[in-house]
Amino acid sequence: RQTFEPHHLSVMSWAFATLECKPVRLLEDIDRQACAVSRELSPQNCANLLWGFAKLRQPSAELLPVVAARLESGLLDECKPVEVSDLAYATAVMGTAGEGSCEPQQAKELLAALATRALPHTCLPRFSSRQLVTLVWAHARLGVQPPQETLDAWRQAMRAAVDQRPLQKADRQSLEASLGKLGETCRGAWIPDTSEPAESEADAVSAA
């Protein structure tokens, strides 16, 4: 008999990762139970589960393929930008984790599906600059080249977002490195040459 509901499993995964606490045996139980109730997972459940396992570097050969199957059954169309971003991060980490994790090809296929939620006719206008940075980073980490029309749409969305608020330094550095791997020029194309990284809270404290 299952002890926890899907929501409970996802919240525990998220909470352990947020607290940087890794109870391996409990995570293995969460893995098994989540796979058993995969048909009941919501988009948020899927995102929290994979994000938590990825953050904790908890190996799982089954969780990503099971979540991918659930998303591709029609649930993907309900995913919000924050869920797409978290799932993309997790997919990239788990797809490059090596032994004990999912096959890289499984991760690449899920990432390609997630990218369809960040198009002008789907949810791209609602993506934040950081969520776009995460999507680009995930593709670079997995070695997946997005279609040129997708990159063009992301670039336009990034320019619009940066015009409203400059990127944080860490996000800018991540974007530049990731775009370099994808053969894209960052400055002057994705962000203005004159843009300065926004001061982070930590920088503000040290400056004070």
Side-chain angles (χ1 to χ4, degrees), residues 133 136 158 167 171-179 186 191:
V133 169
V136 173
M158 180 64 73
L167 289 176
D171 290 338
R172 177 179 58 80
Q173 292 174 337
S174 175
L175 182 63
E176 288 181 330
S178 299
L179 287 173
C186 184
I191 59 175

Side-chain angles (χ1 to χ4, degrees), residues 145 148 151-152 155 176 179-186 190:
Q145 185 74 27
Q148 189 58 50
L151 282 173
D152 291 343
R155 183 176 64 249
E176 288 181 330
L179 287 173
K181 294 179 181 179
L182 296 175
E184 288 276 316
T185 300
C186 184
W190 288 69

Side-chain angles (χ1 to χ4, degrees), residues 22-29 58:
K22 189 176 180 180
V24 174
R25 290 186 179 179
L26 181 53
L27 288 168
E28 290 172 348
D29 286 339
Q58 173 66 21

Side-chain angles (χ1 to χ4, degrees), residues 101-170:
S101 191
C102 65
E103 294 294 329
Q105 186 58 33
Q106 293 172 321
K108 291 178 180 180
E109 291 173 0
L110 177 54
L111 184 61
L114 290 168
T116 65
R117 293 295 290 159
L119 296 175
H121 64 278
T122 54
C123 294
L124 181 56
R126 305 208 311 265
F127 273 74
S128 70
S129 59
R130 174 162 292 178
Q131 290 161 352
L132 286 172
V133 169
T134 300
L135 270 179
V136 173
W137 171 87
H139 281 78
R141 176 157 178 149
L142 276 174
V144 175
Q145 185 74 27
Q148 189 58 50
E149 58 269 26
T150 298
L151 282 173
D152 291 343
W154 290 355
R155 183 176 64 249
Q156 292 175 15
M158 180 64 73
R159 285 299 296 260
V162 172
D163 284 344
Q164 296 296 319
R165 182 177 182 181
L167 289 176
Q168 295 283 343
K169 181 179 179 180

